[in-house]
Amino acid sequence: GVIKGSFIANTDSAISSDGTIKSVNADFVANSGDNGGAIAGTDSTIGGISGNFIANSATANGGAIYKSGGTIDNVTASFIGNNAATNGGAIYANAGTIGNIASDFAGNPAGTSGGALYMESSVNADTNVVGDFLANTGGTSGGAIYMTSSSLNNINGDFISNSVAVSGSATTFGGAILRDNSTVSGIGGRFINNSANTKGGAISAVDSTINSINADLAGLLYEPRLFLAQFIKYPFPYVGVIEFSGKYFP
């Protein structure tokens, strides 16, 4: 069916499904669960998700939305201040498919990876991720977006002040975006004041394919701003075929 309304301060996930939901258009505030504080889907089919997700939390993965297997058609929502102890402060997607994501993400932390979005083993070759990513954080990698063994079409937006742990001696990668063994056709937008402790203050890509980057890279970024490598020992720009355009300055 169609789910509408407001879900406030529910425990054990506000909505949990292993079946079919036509669509979700609702506001989710301060809900909590082990996986997916607001929505938890396991091998489920959800037609589309829209609304506002604010201050939802998970003790494991997916502060706002958790998806393991199954399908989500599209996500058009705002994600503010959601958090996960492990991966996917706002959205966690493992296996299955997810359609276009046209959403804004602000202040979503993950204890390990993917403050805004965590994708693992998700094949979405036609999917576009579009939105603004502000001050999302990860513990070790992918302050805003973390991808592993996954594929997307394009990523485009403003990435501002996203980070992975930058204090102490922790090894951290990809202040805004980290890709590991993944494919993205193109990356565009502005990357400003994103930071990491080790490599890729803006973007880190390891054993991955990126066809083109058209972006402005600016601000206090840890060196190198771009870390693109088929293997760790081959840093940018000695990587496959990468077309880079845009502004690149401190």
Side-chain angles (χ1 to χ4, degrees), residues 129-133 155-159 188-191:
V129 176
V130 179
D132 294 332
F133 296 79
I155 297 174
N156 198 303
D158 287 346
F159 291 80
R190 298 186 303 164
F191 291 76

Side-chain angles (χ1 to χ4, degrees), residues 2-154:
V2 176
I3 296 176
K4 297 181 178 182
S6 297
F7 296 80
I8 301 173
N10 298 281
T11 58
D12 296 326
S13 305
I15 296 173
S16 181
S17 173
D18 59 3
T20 299
I21 298 174
K22 185 175 181 180
S23 65
V24 176
N25 183 358
D27 294 332
F28 296 83
V29 181
N31 301 283
S32 62
D34 293 336
N35 290 302
I39 299 174
T42 302
D43 295 325
S44 60
T45 299
I46 301 176
I49 296 173
S50 60
N52 298 298
F53 293 78
I54 302 171
N56 301 284
S57 62
T59 57
N61 301 305
I65 297 173
Y66 172 90
K67 183 189 80 70
S68 178
T71 301
I72 296 176
D73 282 354
N74 296 286
V75 179
T76 307
S78 295
F79 296 87
I80 302 171
N82 304 281
N83 72 87
T86 308
N87 297 315
I91 300 175
Y92 175 94
N94 185 354
T97 60
I98 187 168
N100 291 327
I101 298 173
S103 300
D104 294 331
F105 299 83
N108 302 284
T112 303
S113 301
L117 172 63
Y118 177 98
M119 295 181 62
E120 181 176 351
S121 302
S122 295
V123 179
N124 310 281
D126 296 325
T127 291
N128 298 301
V129 176
V130 179
D132 294 332
F133 296 79
L134 173 65
N136 302 284
T137 60
T140 61
S141 51
I145 298 175
Y146 176 92
M147 296 174 60
T148 181
S149 302
S150 298
S151 60
L152 287 173
N153 186 25
N154 292 301

